[in-house]
Amino acid sequence: MKPVPRIYIHFADYYHIERARLNRVGAAQIRNSLSNAMRLCLLFADEVIFPLSSLYESLECQRLITEFPEFREHGILKVAAGDANIFDHLESKKLSYNETSTNHFLNAYRKKRSCVIMPSYIQRNGSSTGVIRAAWAQTARDGEVFRCLRDSGNISLPPRFEQIWSHVPDALGEQAFVPIHTVDVLRKQGFHGSALKHVVAPPIESAYVDGYVSSLHTYILLDVPYLAYEALEHRLQSRERLRYRDLVAGLTRYGLVEPILEADSRALFRLRSEPAWDELAESVRSGRSHEDASKQAKRVSEILNDSKVSSRATPQQLEMTTAMNKSESTNITTKFDTAIITALPIEMAAVELLLSPSKQPLRIDDDPNSYKATSIKLPDGTEKQVLLCLLNRMGNNSAATAATNLLRSFDVQHLFFCGIALGVPRPSEPSKHVRLGDVVVSDRRGVIQIDHRSLGPEGETNRSMLPPPPAPIARALNELTTNEYLGHRPWEPRIDSAVKAAPRFARPNASTDILFDSDGKTELPHPSDASRDPGHPKMHRGQIGSANTLVRDAKFRDEKAKEHDLFAIEMEGAGAQEALWNFGQSAMVVRGVCDYGVGKNDTWHHYAALAAAAVTVTLIIGI
């Protein structure tokens, strides 16, 4: 455990950096100061939290996130806002910055999400606007700000300026309560003078910081060179503070300042996991030394020296790398109509068999996913751009990571998770009986995580609350179902054509579709179903269960199916949906049935994967 649980980064926002530039601090000095302060935060806190708005408004903040990838990927670096998810935050920001705002803020929220490498997101309690409004009203009540306005020789005040000041929140309306908008409102009401912004900014910015610090229970780091704003920091209410100069002085006693400030991200991440560092860090923070401190400092120095093979990039190198990355990426399409995610290579092979994507994988910096790009030609001659993504490993956790990285790297409108799954047989209900090779599509009930449960004296309760598939895909599914009732099943010729091209994906013999009872001993007959098209998959609509457990137990299968009315059980849909929800999106899960959870084998894997891929492509065309 680090000396403090959380640190909130207030000094990397647009306003702090702009003030440093106006004070003629060079770009290299600003970046170096930000990097050094960030290193201290990462080493002295369990979590480091940025306001999400800073990540969009401040290029330097984006550089910081990029500079420390290990901390971002392991959830130590986080972003926070008061909205339910990132998508909602962006939408609210677009409304609060309109055509009267400066171009900087307009562009910040209208550019693509792929411009920003997003850390984990957490929702704070309360609203920044509410906190700022309350603080603004307090400035009018205590009169301090009015004394500053009168005493300033550089501000021209209109008649009844106190009343005008008090009505600023109403005058702003839906606009963001930020210094730039506030100064603009006051100037329209007769306030003039270059010093006006210096009176307006401290109460707004300090309230903003205090709101985050209070709701997230964080510390703050003060006195950061070139970036500290004394007028703001002396107004802050929080007493949970660290001071940059105190930490540097403590590290200097042990000769560790230079090694820490020169270490790369990987070395810092390794150091952070060492028990010797935790004990020494507490000594540095408290200013109290102990008898083992010298030994611990020696161990820390050894760790950092061992990591010097990969040296820290200079600001100039960072600029060159960024420029190279931009030039190499100019020809990469970042906007796709649809993305298809699969967990297994056999599932991706089935999709590629239908869509024939480019042979060359698409690689994105700071994104570990494997991508390929392709397109689907529509009946009207137009094309839909489709992105294919293959997970690095199975499971809900891997699916959540992949979905998050996909939406960080690309602007995608519709998403599908496609692959194979366990089918839930219902021999007593012929029309709902799921057989091998059939396809289950998550309808409006979507996916439920069957192992997301709470245990209490009253028993178990499922806590899964995942979003349903998006309306446009649900509409396409309804239309596809209507056509199926009329005997039109466009996925069938797609399967037949693919099998001709790749016979190994052919449908296995019906004799291999063997159904056993829940004990796995007695073979059960499949019921007769007149709605089936012999030799082709039947499409089912219904809820799909998702778990991190590979189910090989028919009793467990039937118990969960009865509890949640399941048609299939798989291992990735819940993780993908949870991650997509953070971006205000969701996916349609399409699963080909390859087994019943008893007597597992690979006989039906190829065909089930192809059947799911064929239904997915048909749905994409219908959106």
Side-chain angles (χ1 to χ4, degrees):
M1 183 176 290
K2 301 298 172 284
V4 301
R6 286 174 163 179
I7 289 181
Y8 171 76
I9 303 296
H10 72 286
F11 50 79
D13 70 4
Y14 168 82
Y15 294 100
H16 280 76
I17 290 170
E18 279 303 296
R19 274 189 290 267
R21 287 173 176 158
L22 290 173
N23 288 328
R24 299 189 178 181
V25 179
Q29 290 173 301
I30 292 173
R31 290 173 191 167
N32 193 52
S33 184
L34 284 169
S35 179
N36 292 346
M38 191 66 180
R39 290 160 185 274
L40 297 180
C41 293
L42 292 171
L43 290 176
F44 281 87
D46 289 317
E47 294 180 339
V48 176
I49 302 175
F50 289 84
L52 180 57
S53 56
S54 291
L55 200 55
Y56 282 91
E57 296 171 7
S58 168
L59 178 60
E60 299 303 334
C61 186
Q62 294 178 28
R63 289 178 184 273
L64 275 185
I65 296 292
T66 306
E67 187 178 353
F68 301 98
E70 290 80 7
F71 294 88
R72 183 187 73 244
E73 291 164 5
H74 285 80
I76 297 165
L77 273 177
K78 291 179 165 65
V79 291
D83 301 283
N85 53 56
I86 295 171
F87 178 82
D88 286 353
H89 178 77
L90 293 179
E91 291 303 304
S92 67
K93 285 292 185 180
K94 288 176 184 177
L95 294 174
S96 60
Y97 288 101
N98 53 37
E99 300 304 326
T100 65
S101 307
T102 60
N103 287 334
H104 171 81
F105 291 103
L106 285 174
N107 294 334
Y109 292 105
R110 293 183 179 179
K111 60 188 178 183
K112 298 174 183 176
R113 281 195 301 271
S114 57
C115 298
V116 181
I117 302 173
M118 198 65 63
S120 301
Y121 177 78
I122 56 176
Q123 183 179 4
R124 57 159 287 191
N125 294 323
S127 160
S128 293
T129 300
V131 173
I132 296 170
R133 281 175 171 266
W136 189 265
Q138 183 60 41
T139 63
R141 285 193 296 270
D142 63 28
E144 178 187 353
V145 69
F146 298 146
R147 288 191 293 273
C148 292
L149 290 169
R150 291 191 189 95
D151 294 343
S152 174
N154 296 320
I155 300 177
S156 174
L157 302 175
R160 298 181 294 108
F161 70 90
E162 297 96 336
Q163 185 177 354
I164 295 172
W165 182 276
S166 299
H167 289 154
V168 162
D170 295 329
L172 284 170
E174 295 299 318
Q175 280 193 304
F177 205 145
V178 294
I180 289 177
H181 289 165
T182 305
V183 168
D184 185 53
V185 165
L186 291 172
R187 283 178 175 161
K188 289 177 181 178
Q189 296 293 326
F191 286 75
H192 297 289
S194 59
L196 182 59
K197 60 184 177 182
H198 301 299
V199 178
V200 165
I204 294 177
E205 293 185 49
S206 61
Y208 181 84
V209 173
D210 278 330
Y212 268 91
V213 169
S214 175
S215 65
L216 295 172
H217 308 291
T218 73
Y219 280 67
I220 45 178
L221 181 67
L222 305 180
D223 302 329
V224 176
Y226 305 120
L227 298 167
Y229 184 28
E230 186 178 352
L232 179 153
E233 294 187 353
H234 96 274
R235 295 180 63 98
L236 294 175
Q237 302 296 313
S238 173
R239 303 273 72 88
E240 304 291 358
R241 305 177 174 196
L242 297 178
R243 293 193 175 274
Y244 180 98
R245 61 171 179 264
D246 293 341
L247 298 182
V248 170
L251 292 171
T252 301
R253 288 200 301 271
Y254 300 106
L256 292 174
V257 172
E258 188 172 332
I260 285 176
L261 299 187
E262 290 183 350
D264 65 4
S265 177
R266 188 176 302 176
L268 292 175
F269 188 76
R270 180 188 170 194
L271 172 61
R272 183 188 156 85
S273 64
E274 288 287 333
W277 168 252
D278 284 353
E279 296 177 27
L280 183 63
E282 178 55 39
S283 176
V284 170
R285 185 187 78 90
S286 65
R288 296 188 299 271
S289 185
H290 54 83
E291 58 183 16
D292 292 330
S294 296
K295 292 180 181 179
Q296 293 162 353
K298 183 178 179 181
R299 171 61 182 153
V300 167
S301 182
E302 290 171 352
I303 294 169
L304 294 173
N305 286 332
D306 289 343
S307 303
K308 275 191 174 180
V309 178
S310 54
S311 59
R312 179 182 174 189
T314 65
Q316 291 77 12
Q317 290 170 325
L318 273 175
E319 285 181 352
M320 291 175 63
T321 303
T322 302
M324 289 173 62
N325 289 342
K326 285 183 178 178
S327 65
E328 292 171 355
S329 302
T330 51
N331 294 323
I332 295 176
T333 298
T334 59
K335 187 171 184 177
F336 289 85
D337 298 290
T338 306
I340 303 174
I341 307 174
T342 69
L344 299 173
I346 185 63
E347 298 166 345
M348 180 55 71
V351 174
E352 292 192 16
L353 187 59
L354 295 173
L355 298 182
S356 303
S358 59
K359 300 297 183 183
Q360 187 67 30
L362 184 58
R363 305 295 188 195
I364 302 296
D365 291 340
D366 296 309
D367 183 343
N369 286 349
S370 175
Y371 299 108
K372 286 186 177 180
T374 186
S375 62
I376 297 177
K377 193 165 186 177
L378 304 181
D380 63 1
T382 61
E383 291 186 345
K384 286 190 175 182
Q385 301 302 313
V386 180
L387 179 71
L388 309 183
C389 174
L390 175 63
L391 302 190
N392 293 323
R393 59 186 298 178
M394 296 189 302
N396 280 310
N397 295 342
S398 179
T401 301
T404 300
N405 283 318
L406 186 154
L407 288 183
R408 289 172 180 165
S409 299
F410 299 98
D411 184 359
V412 176
Q413 191 170 3
H414 304 297
L415 296 107
F416 288 83
F417 212 105
C418 173
I420 58 178
L422 171 158
V424 177
R426 303 187 187 197
S428 63
E429 300 178 81
S431 64
K432 295 183 178 181
H433 180 58
V434 176
R435 297 191 59 170
L436 301 187
D438 285 357
V439 177
V440 179
V441 184
S442 60
D443 61 5
R444 292 185 64 181
R445 291 177 295 169
V447 176
I448 182 170
Q449 186 171 350
I450 60 177
D451 55 359
H452 187 184
R453 310 180 71 82
S454 65
L455 295 174
E458 69 283 356
E460 294 187 6
T461 303
N462 188 282
R463 302 185 64 189
S464 179
M465 296 179 63
L466 298 171
I473 305 181
R475 182 179 63 244
L477 177 59
N478 286 338
E479 293 170 352
L480 193 64
T481 305
T482 300
N483 290 332
E484 185 187 16
Y485 282 129
L486 300 173
H488 181 52
R489 300 178 178 91
W491 59 86
E492 291 182 357
R494 290 191 173 89
I495 294 174
D496 295 341
S497 297
V499 168
K500 288 180 182 178
R504 66 186 302 186
F505 283 86
R507 184 180 178 88
N509 192 288
S511 63
T512 62
D513 183 4
I514 302 173
L515 177 64
F516 291 96
D517 64 6
S518 58
D519 292 326
K521 298 177 181 179
T522 304
E523 185 175 343
L524 300 176
H526 292 287
S528 176
D529 181 4
S531 66
R532 285 190 172 275
D533 183 12
H536 286 101
K538 180 176 180 177
M539 185 181 72
H540 302 268
R541 298 174 53 157
Q543 187 156 250
I544 296 175
S546 186
N548 280 316
T549 304
L550 181 63
V551 178
R552 297 176 183 267
D553 183 340
K555 288 183 178 178
F556 178 84
R557 174 202 70 198
D558 293 341
E559 175 188 323
K560 295 303 176 186
K562 183 178 180 180
E563 181 181 355
H564 303 295
D565 191 23
L566 303 179
F567 282 74
I569 300 176
E570 48 91 90
M571 296 180 62
E572 289 85 24
Q577 292 287 53
E578 186 71 38
L580 296 174
W581 176 81
N582 282 319
F583 291 86
Q585 294 189 242
S586 64
M588 178 74 83
V589 178
V590 182
R591 292 296 187 180
V593 176
C594 64
D595 62 67
Y596 299 118
V598 180
K600 277 182 173 288
N601 60 64
D602 296 345
T603 304
W604 284 81
H605 279 197
H606 284 75
Y607 184 80
L610 178 60
V615 170
T616 298
V617 171
T618 305
L619 284 168
I620 292 172
I621 293 173
I623 297 175

